[in-house]
Amino acid sequence: MRERSGVGVVGGLLVLLGALLTGCQSPSGGVAEDGRLGDPATGRTATVSPVPTRPSGYGAVFLAIGECSSFGTTSFTEVPCAGERAAARVVARHDGTVRDGPRCPATTDFVLHISEQRPASDEDGDGTVPRGYACMRNLQPPHPGDPGGGGGPRTIVGDCVYSSGDGQVRETACDGEDERRPQYKVVRAVAERAECPASTALYVRLGGDRPVGCARPL
């Protein structure tokens, strides 16, 4: 478990981004019954070039990898990464729930949970923005997901923890600047406890292919 992971997890209010389809019509042209532009006298139809969608990296898919979100603790929006409102970048994006889906990258600072919505228009035109989650990395320090940073959704090698009672540990910053001072530091991740070094005083659950964290006292 991690001390500050809950701070960065927020329920999102989706910004509904619809592609705006436009076309040019000449003064003498008409509209055929099937909706295509054409000459009303001849019934011939003219081909209309599709209007380009938003540039890749903003708006094509809601919070796709490489896109950015705004600041916020109760809501967020997708914003251009070069804008002054940009706070964090998407480093991984998955449908479904965190419990059932792939793990976020090790140095993820926080996770945005995206609620399922059924707007009139959406990113791919199927009437649904699926439930999912985005693994986020702050554009500027601090980075709680870094080793020893004291937060983030995952505990990794280099992180520090303290005992919270009942056999549980929580993460705290290794520099001692958090409210709770560190008691142990995770120095290695292994597949089984027997692979931990002799100096190990605490085993921390990490998950993944090497689920055991070997922690030494500080």
Side-chain angles (χ1 to χ4, degrees):
M1 298 178 64
R2 307 195 71 171
E3 178 67 8
R4 300 189 301 184
S5 61
V7 176
V9 179
V10 297
L13 301 179
L14 298 181
V15 174
L16 308 180
L17 300 177
L20 205 60
L21 302 179
T22 62
C24 297
Q25 180 177 341
S26 63
S28 60
V31 180
E33 291 183 356
D34 59 3
R36 295 177 295 173
L37 297 181
D39 188 329
T42 63
R44 292 179 297 180
T45 60
T47 301
V48 179
S49 299
V51 176
T53 59
R54 288 183 182 269
S56 177
Y58 173 60
V61 176
F62 183 71
L63 286 181
I65 295 175
E67 293 177 352
C68 293
S69 72
S70 63
F71 296 89
T73 57
T74 59
S75 65
F76 62 92
T77 58
E78 180 186 304
V79 296
C81 290
E84 61 181 13
R85 296 180 61 207
R89 189 184 304 272
V90 181
V91 295
R93 171 75 153 83
H94 305 288
D95 292 338
T97 64
V98 173
R99 175 177 296 181
D100 300 327
R103 306 175 75 206
C104 283
T107 56
T108 297
D109 287 330
F110 63 97
V111 177
L112 291 181
H113 296 276
I114 302 169
S115 300
E116 184 177 12
Q117 300 288 330
R118 298 185 180 278
S121 60
D122 64 279
E123 59 193 29
D124 58 6
D126 67 354
T128 300
V129 175
R131 181 181 185 184
Y133 57 97
C135 309
M136 309 298 295
R137 175 84 172 170
N138 292 331
L139 295 179
Q140 301 292 334
H143 293 290
D146 282 352
R154 292 181 54 182
T155 301
I156 59 177
V157 173
D159 281 342
C160 294
V161 298
Y162 68 93
S163 175
S164 60
D166 297 328
Q168 301 294 318
V169 296
R170 295 185 181 276
E171 188 181 335
T172 189
C174 289
D175 59 15
E177 294 186 357
D178 278 355
E179 181 179 350
R180 301 300 298 264
R181 297 189 61 82
Q183 297 176 330
Y184 306 90
K185 184 173 184 177
V186 180
V187 296
R188 186 178 300 180
V190 297
E192 299 178 356
R193 291 189 177 188
E195 300 176 22
C196 285
S199 60
T200 300
L202 181 72
Y203 302 100
V204 181
R205 183 182 303 170
L206 304 182
D209 296 334
R210 293 184 293 175
V212 180
C214 314
R216 61 174 176 82
L218 294 174

